[in-house]
Amino acid sequence: MKKLQQFKVYAFTYERLALAKFKVNTNPFEAELRGEVVSLGDNECLRAIRRIRNREFVPEELQALLDEKMWITRQGNSAENKNRIKEINNAVRDMLFVPEIISVHTPKKRNYTKIGRDGFFVNGVHYIRLMCSAAMARTNRALFCAEDIYEPLDEILRCGSKQIKIVPAKWNAYYSLMSSATHIVSFPRVCVVKDYEIKLPKKVDWVTDNEIEDTISYEEKELPFNIWDGMGLISPEQSKKWSTELGYDGLAECFIVRAPFIKGLVATFDFHKFAREIANNDIIKDIYGNEYNCDNIDVILTESQFKLWGAYDSIESHQEHMKRYGLSWGVSRIGAPDGKKILKTNYQFLQVLNLKDDDIKELCSDTVKWIESLYNDNIEYKLLYLMGRLAQRNCVESFNSIHDSAVKALLIEPRLMGDSYISDKIIGSIRKKINEALIGKIMVKGNFYFVVCDPYALCEYIFGLKPKGLLKEFEHYAYAWSIQGKDTIAAMRSPLTWRAEVNKLNLKFTDDMKEWYKYIPHCIVYNMWGLDRETHSSMDFDGDIVATTDNGTLLSGRYGGQPVLYKSQKAEKEIIENS
């Protein structure tokens, strides 16, 4: 997948602004030296600002400057070359710096209220609050924009949506989707179907809220489930088209998509074939009551993915507004095999296990052997360690991608391994790995995979059949593990805080599954009937990943049990006037 362009913006703390009496004077060069500049991947918000300012970004011009700089650095250290490199650095900085956006870190609520109300000045320009995504809120950050572009920018980001009642926190999250880093892809032919929401009786550990002390009891509860929460489908043909546009030489198994008020995962699945061979029906009825021939559809979204579907008269209206405002469909990540066969646990995965001393020794054995091997005299082994995954590429590509001059020097002259500077550098790196192992980063066989909920069952629902799926309760599908002869694996998802959350997956591998799930061999397919999403701490299918392993010690150390659940509270909805 091609690399996403990064841009630079100012990033201040509330304390820094307050110290300057909310009137800061600086420049990008000075701010970078002070650590007051951060990178943002290109996104719809930044693209909209460039259009408002009539400021075009041409990647070829940037690459030409970087190529020239690389060529000059190899020519010698003359005064003329130094001046030209300085000119290039300034040109690149000007090209990539976005002065209209500022990130502000504000841990205290009262300070956030003040700055959100009053804003602040930088270089004489007044900045006001623009957005605060869920990810930003978790780190006490928000984005502010230059006041003079707020109104045109806000109009673009609202994308013609009508005002509807909504929980303010949700509006913040949905509006801020426009700040998600994305690669632009072509418009698909799309429709949106209603969510499939059902209630199922399940035995769980239920928390009852009491004034003095909460109580937990094991009981059967009728629980609500949104079966395909955050998940949709993409045809193999459209998947190939997007894969090509993203520079991926293959067929992506799934895509994390973004569009105005749209987010989630679409899994590659041949719903056209399903319509012909299973449903004998090619009509899809969407959430607005409109009917579509599935042959004219590339992507099927579910209601949970189109967050503001009620603010538009139809999906066509939404797409027309996108084009009117110059907005795009985007992909933030794709699901594709990465070749990794080893994963590193974290302390959460380990602290919930029932392990004896011998179990701990066995679980750590591969990590210990690996660290010990780094201390031997095998130069080739040390070079492989220092190069990491770059060692899997061809020689020229690997060498040009290495940024550490010491590693490059070792590749040219391995005898430099005896140099004290390089030796100390390697020892320091190995000690860092030892310290990581001490806090729970242990190597086990496994990988992280995207999760999807039975797409076959989703197609049954979409085309008017009773959803059953190919997987029953307690059954799962993982092609990447089944072809290794595995029928049981452990799955864990962060944050993992309770011992029942180490999930045991029972793998099935039938001919029907291999046929219908053939486009998602490196995804974990969950059934629609179980408690898996609750076991994985309220997992949904909008791009969540799980760590999977067949490690025997980890599997045998599971406590098992039921997930701990409670009745969640719902916030009041209201009309949002300002973002």
Side-chain angles (χ1 to χ4, degrees):
M1 187 168 170
K2 61 186 179 183
K3 189 176 180 181
L4 184 65
Q5 182 60 55
Q6 300 292 306
F7 290 85
K8 305 282 189 176
V9 300
Y10 288 127
F12 300 123
T13 63
Y14 179 87
E15 292 75 14
R16 164 81 161 100
L17 294 171
L19 193 64
K21 300 187 183 330
F22 302 99
K23 293 182 179 179
V24 173
N25 287 297
T26 188
N27 60 67
F29 179 74
E30 177 186 301
E32 198 150 18
L33 292 177
R34 294 170 61 103
E36 294 177 340
V37 170
V38 294
S39 296
L40 294 180
D42 203 9
N43 56 60
E44 286 301 281
C45 181
L46 297 183
R47 294 172 189 129
I49 291 171
R50 294 200 293 272
R51 291 196 297 276
I52 292 169
R53 293 297 200 208
N54 197 26
R55 189 170 65 227
E56 186 180 7
F57 171 69
V58 182
E60 293 77 13
E61 291 181 6
L62 173 64
Q63 191 58 52
L65 288 172
L66 296 176
D67 289 344
E68 182 186 355
K69 179 180 175 180
M70 179 68 73
W71 182 83
I72 291 174
T73 57
R74 294 170 178 168
Q75 303 311 305
N77 202 21
S78 68
E80 182 182 356
N81 286 344
K82 285 182 179 180
N83 287 333
R84 181 54 186 156
I85 287 176
K86 186 177 181 180
E87 290 174 357
I88 291 173
N89 287 339
N90 290 334
V92 170
R93 188 180 294 112
D94 291 342
M95 192 178 291
L96 298 182
F97 195 80
V98 185
E100 293 86 359
I101 289 288
I102 295 179
S103 173
V104 179
H105 180 245
T106 315
K108 295 181 180 178
K109 184 177 180 180
R110 67 175 182 272
N111 293 341
Y112 181 65
T113 301
K114 171 179 169 48
I115 201 172
R117 181 188 65 237
D118 301 334
F120 55 90
F121 290 85
V122 173
N123 298 327
V125 177
H126 189 218
Y127 287 81
I128 60 176
R129 183 189 177 281
L130 176 64
M131 64 175 63
C132 177
S133 69
M136 293 175 201
R138 285 193 290 270
T139 56
N140 300 309
R141 297 177 189 277
L143 289 185
F144 288 69
C145 76
E147 186 176 25
D148 67 310
I149 68 163
Y150 176 81
E151 287 190 8
L153 181 59
D154 180 60
E155 182 183 356
I156 292 172
L157 300 187
R158 286 177 179 264
C159 190
S161 59
K162 296 183 292 188
Q163 286 190 332
I164 59 172
K165 282 193 172 183
I166 188 172
V167 175
K170 288 190 174 182
W171 166 260
N172 262 328
Y174 303 160
Y175 181 83
S176 300
L177 290 173
M178 304 294 260
S179 67
S180 297
T182 54
H183 296 274
I184 294 176
V185 291
S186 57
F187 273 69
R189 298 173 298 175
V190 62
C191 69
V192 185
V193 299
K194 284 187 68 66
D195 284 338
Y196 184 61
E197 297 178 292
I198 59 175
K199 290 186 176 181
L200 296 171
K202 298 293 178 184
K203 291 182 178 179
V204 298
D205 288 330
W206 188 259
V207 179
T208 302
D209 186 12
N210 296 314
E211 287 187 13
I212 300 176
E213 186 177 32
D214 295 347
T215 59
I216 301 178
S217 57
Y218 178 67
E219 54 186 281
E220 184 174 284
K221 286 284 185 179
E222 191 173 62
L223 302 176
F225 293 89
N226 183 358
I227 300 300
W228 292 282
D229 190 7
M231 176 185 152
L233 302 175
I234 183 170
S235 70
E237 295 78 17
Q238 188 67 19
S239 176
K240 179 60 180 175
K241 184 178 181 181
W242 276 4
S243 297
T244 300
E245 291 170 1
L246 294 169
Y248 175 61
D249 185 20
L251 190 71
E253 300 180 21
C254 57
F255 301 83
I256 309 300
V257 295
R258 293 289 187 271
F261 308 114
I262 289 174
K263 75 180 286 278
L265 176 146
V266 289
T268 304
F269 188 86
D270 196 345
F271 54 83
H272 297 128
K273 177 181 177 180
F274 184 95
R276 292 191 306 270
E277 298 183 7
I278 305 298
N280 295 313
N281 171 32
D282 55 11
I283 299 300
I284 301 172
K285 188 172 183 178
D286 81 347
I287 195 168
Y288 299 99
N290 302 316
E291 292 187 346
Y292 300 84
N293 186 309
C294 74
D295 290 336
N296 300 321
I297 296 296
D298 304 310
V299 169
I300 303 174
L301 300 178
T302 53
E303 176 185 347
S304 59
Q305 294 181 289
F306 190 7
K307 305 301 184 180
L308 249 62
W309 70 269
Y312 296 90
D313 296 328
S314 65
I315 187 63
E316 288 81 11
S317 172
H318 176 263
Q319 300 291 276
E320 288 166 6
H321 278 101
M322 283 184 64
K323 292 173 182 177
R324 173 188 169 191
Y325 288 110
L327 298 168
S328 307
W329 278 76
V331 169
S332 59
R333 190 176 174 187
I334 64 171
D338 60 11
K340 292 182 180 179
K341 297 180 180 179
I342 299 293
L343 68 82
K344 285 187 178 180
T345 63
N346 59 47
Y347 75 93
Q348 293 179 342
F349 294 175
L350 303 179
Q351 70 181 2
V352 294
L353 299 175
N354 182 18
L355 301 175
K356 297 180 174 62
D357 288 348
D358 287 344
D359 296 326
I360 295 172
K361 186 176 181 180
E362 177 62 28
L363 188 62
C364 297
S365 60
D366 287 341
T367 305
V368 171
K369 289 176 185 176
W370 177 70
I371 291 173
E372 287 177 343
S373 68
L374 297 177
Y375 278 103
N376 66 30
D377 294 328
N378 190 318
I379 293 176
E380 287 78 12
Y381 203 97
K382 285 186 171 68
L383 284 172
L384 286 173
Y385 162 70
L386 292 170
M387 292 181 67
R389 300 200 71 192
L390 291 176
Q392 299 175 13
R393 302 184 187 179
N394 66 59
C395 295
V396 175
E397 184 182 5
S398 295
F399 191 83
N400 290 336
S401 299
I402 296 171
H403 300 294
D404 191 326
S405 57
V407 177
K408 281 189 172 182
L410 279 171
L411 287 171
I412 296 170
E413 179 49 81
R415 285 179 296 179
L416 285 172
M417 193 71 73
D419 178 82
S420 60
Y421 170 79
I422 292 179
S423 178
D424 289 346
K425 188 180 180 74
I426 295 172
I427 291 172
S429 176
I430 296 172
R431 284 175 178 166
K432 182 179 178 181
K433 298 299 179 184
I434 293 173
N435 290 332
E436 288 177 353
L438 292 174
I439 60 172
K441 293 187 177 182
I442 302 299
M443 296 192 306
V444 296
K445 179 184 174 184
N447 205 329
F448 286 88
Y449 293 120
F450 283 108
V451 296
V452 299
C453 185
D454 195 344
Y456 186 95
L458 176 53
C459 273
E460 289 177 317
Y461 167 63
I462 289 170
F463 290 103
L465 304 177
K466 185 177 181 180
K468 294 181 180 178
L470 297 179
L471 294 163
K472 299 174 184 175
E473 187 172 9
F474 308 115
E475 293 182 351
H476 311 82
Y477 181 83
Y479 178 88
W481 283 109
S482 291
I483 58 170
Q484 299 179 51
K486 307 298 180 182
D487 55 17
T488 304
I489 57 174
M492 299 152 290
R493 173 180 172 269
S494 296
L496 193 153
T497 57
W498 176 238
R499 64 190 188 187
E501 294 174 13
V502 180
N503 198 8
K504 179 182 177 182
L505 306 188
N506 302 296
L507 305 183
K508 299 300 176 183
F509 199 50
T510 67
D511 289 340
D512 277 347
M513 293 175 191
K514 285 185 281 186
E515 173 60 27
W516 288 104
Y517 303 150
K518 64 184 177 183
Y519 297 110
I520 47 174
H522 297 89
C523 293
I524 306 297
V525 184
Y526 285 80
N527 66 78
M528 62 176 285
W529 304 107
L531 273 171
D532 293 298
R533 66 199 77 200
E534 286 70 28
T535 299
H536 287 307
S537 189
S538 299
M539 172 183 78
D540 54 29
F541 300 100
D542 67 352
D544 286 3
I545 59 173
V546 292
T548 61
T549 179
D550 66 342
N551 184 277
T553 305
L554 200 149
L555 274 165
S556 63
R558 293 176 58 254
Y559 276 97
Q562 305 302 318
V564 177
L565 301 179
Y566 56 91
K567 185 178 180 180
S568 58
Q569 302 296 319
K570 292 191 175 181
E572 292 283 334
K573 295 183 179 181
E574 57 185 81
I575 297 290
I576 306 297
E577 298 291 345
N578 297 309
S579 301

